Amino acid sequence: MSNVITAAVDALNQKLDGKTFEGSAKFAIEDEGSLIIDDQGVRAGDEETDVTLIANSDTFQAILSGDLDATSAFMSGKLRLDGDMGTAMRLGSFLA
């Protein structure tokens, strides 16, 4: 597992602070790997989810830090998604 994925899992688990997410989402970080967010928390993984969000490491880190809004990243093509748009929207508000 890459250092980027390990750091992202830790950061997202801290951000969730015990809250659970209804549904499942995968962040696929190009050239690094992927992580899953679901009702079990956040972990490295690559199983099927309701939605997959795909971005490079810089975009993902900017979204995670709050420097880039996920909607803006999507509209500008920096963030792509495959799957259920409703789940992606819930995830965006859940992580805000």
Side-chain angles (χ1 to χ4, degrees), residues 4-5 25-36 45-46 49 51-57 59-60 78-82:
V4 170
I5 296 296
K26 177 177 16 180
F27 280 105
I29 305 170
E30 296 170 345
D31 300 322
E32 298 292 342
S34 58
L35 56 98
I36 306 291
D46 195 27
T49 57
V51 65
T52 299
L53 301 126
I54 306 150
N56 65 31
S57 181
T59 298
F60 176 75
K78 293 180 180 182
L79 176 68
R80 299 180 314 277
L81 72 93
D82 180 27

Side-chain angles (χ1 to χ4, degrees), residues 62-89:
I63 292 169
L64 187 59
S65 69
D67 292 336
L68 178 62
D69 177 69
T71 303
S72 297
F74 176 73
M75 297 302 280
S76 67
K78 293 180 180 182
L79 176 68
R80 299 180 314 277
L81 72 93
D82 180 27
D84 184 51
M85 177 67 85
T87 301
M89 293 174 67

